[in-house]
């Protein structure tokens, strides 16, 4: 009986999208199908992994989960989730912003204890938050207090690290970074792990 009730509720709920109800149902199905609850991190978020291997961060020795969150994709997923599942949208958004690196930017991806340390994506995450809050009447404006410092640091990092001369326009890129797990002076080429 409960299943029938919720199936009918969802079917009727999507009618507000009129001719786009099949699209809305498809987007909702894709986003909700891949939700992951991580009791260690305390969040629910869509899991994204674009690799053929079963886990993005293999061999996690510290107990971290091996799912992957991607900044660009996850930001837009938060926006899409906010249309129908605000709590999931907020949870996902916060997790993305809080994966900021010590260098100051929100990495292209984070998977457990593994983060990209060199790749930057277009900083759309602040705009996504603005759109979510504007559409929902600023009901969840407390997220600004929680995420402002991280977003400010990231956007400042973008300005200082990703401006191209002579016009000073932002570009997305990758830098080599010092990688020395054995205390050797080894550099990894940006864009590869």
């Amino acid at each position: 009986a409960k299943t029938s009730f919720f199936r009918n509720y969802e079917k009727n709920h999507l009618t507000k999208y009129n001719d786009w109800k099949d699209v809305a149902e498809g987007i909702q199905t894709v986003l909700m199908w891949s939700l992951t609850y991580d009791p260690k991190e305390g969040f629910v978020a869509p899991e994204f992994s674009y690799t053929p291997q079963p886990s993005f961060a293999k061999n996690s020795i510290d107990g971290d989960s091996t799912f992957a969150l991607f900044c660009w994709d996850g930001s837009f997923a938060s926006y899409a989730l906010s249309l129908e599942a605000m709590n999931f949208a907020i949870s996902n958004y916060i997790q993305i912003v809080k994966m900021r690196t010590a260098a100051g930017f929100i990495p292209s991806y984070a998977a457990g204890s593994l983060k990209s340390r060199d790749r930057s994506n277009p900083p759309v995450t602040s705009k996504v938050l603005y759109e979510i809050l504007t559409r929902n009447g600023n009901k969840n404006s407390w997220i600004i207090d929680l995420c402002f410092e991280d977003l400010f640091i990231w956007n400042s990092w973008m300005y200082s690290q990703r401006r191209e001369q002579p016009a000073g326009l932002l570009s997305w890129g990758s830098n080599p970074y010092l990688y020395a797990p054995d205390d050797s002076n080894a550099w990894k080429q940006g864009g590869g792990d």
Side-chain angles (χ1 to χ4, degrees):
K2 284 185 179 183
T3 303
S4 295
F5 170 79
F6 285 110
R7 184 174 288 128
N8 288 330
Y9 172 81
E10 282 300 315
K11 183 179 176 183
N12 294 329
H13 182 70
L14 292 171
T15 59
K16 70 182 180 182
Y17 293 105
N18 301 317
D19 292 340
W20 291 93
K21 69 181 179 180
D22 290 339
V23 174
E25 182 179 20
I27 291 170
Q28 179 177 310
T29 300
V30 167
L31 289 170
M32 300 305 273
W33 179 261
S34 64
L35 282 180
T36 301
Y37 173 69
D38 183 335
K40 184 177 179 187
E41 300 273 343
F43 76 101
V44 177
E47 176 179 336
F48 296 104
S49 183
Y50 299 133
T51 58
Q53 61 200 28
S55 63
F56 196 78
K58 51 188 178 233
N59 304 327
S60 175
I61 59 172
D62 58 3
D64 279 341
S65 296
T66 56
F67 62 87
L69 284 176
F70 288 79
C71 172
W72 174 262
D73 310 70
S75 296
F76 289 120
S78 292
Y79 179 79
L81 282 165
S82 74
L83 298 171
E84 295 291 334
M86 184 58 77
N87 289 340
F88 292 152
I90 291 170
S91 177
N92 188 60
Y93 185 88
I94 292 169
Q95 188 64 21
I96 289 165
V97 171
K98 294 302 181 180
M99 68 184 191
R100 182 173 59 86
T101 68
F105 71 99
I106 297 177
S108 176
Y109 66 85
S113 58
L114 174 69
K115 294 180 181 180
S116 64
R117 298 176 55 202
D118 62 313
R119 297 178 196 107
S120 58
N121 293 124
V124 299
T125 309
S126 298
K127 175 68 171 168
V128 166
L129 180 59
Y130 173 80
E131 294 297 330
I132 290 171
L133 295 178
T134 299
R135 192 181 60 250
N136 290 287
N138 293 326
K139 292 178 188 170
N140 295 298
S141 59
W142 59 268
I143 302 169
I144 296 170
D145 294 332
L146 181 65
C147 297
F148 181 83
E149 183 176 359
D150 295 299
L151 293 170
F152 180 79
I153 290 169
W154 180 28
N155 283 282
S156 298
W157 181 90
M158 289 295 294
Y159 185 78
S160 69
Q161 300 295 316
R162 292 290 188 250
R163 272 185 308 139
E164 299 293 333
Q165 298 306 325
L169 299 174
L170 292 178
S171 65
W172 327 128
S174 189
N175 299 51
Y177 61 93
L178 185 60
Y179 175 79
D182 59 355
D183 293 328
S184 66
N185 191 15
W187 287 84
K188 278 199 164 190
Q189 179 61 41
D193 289 329

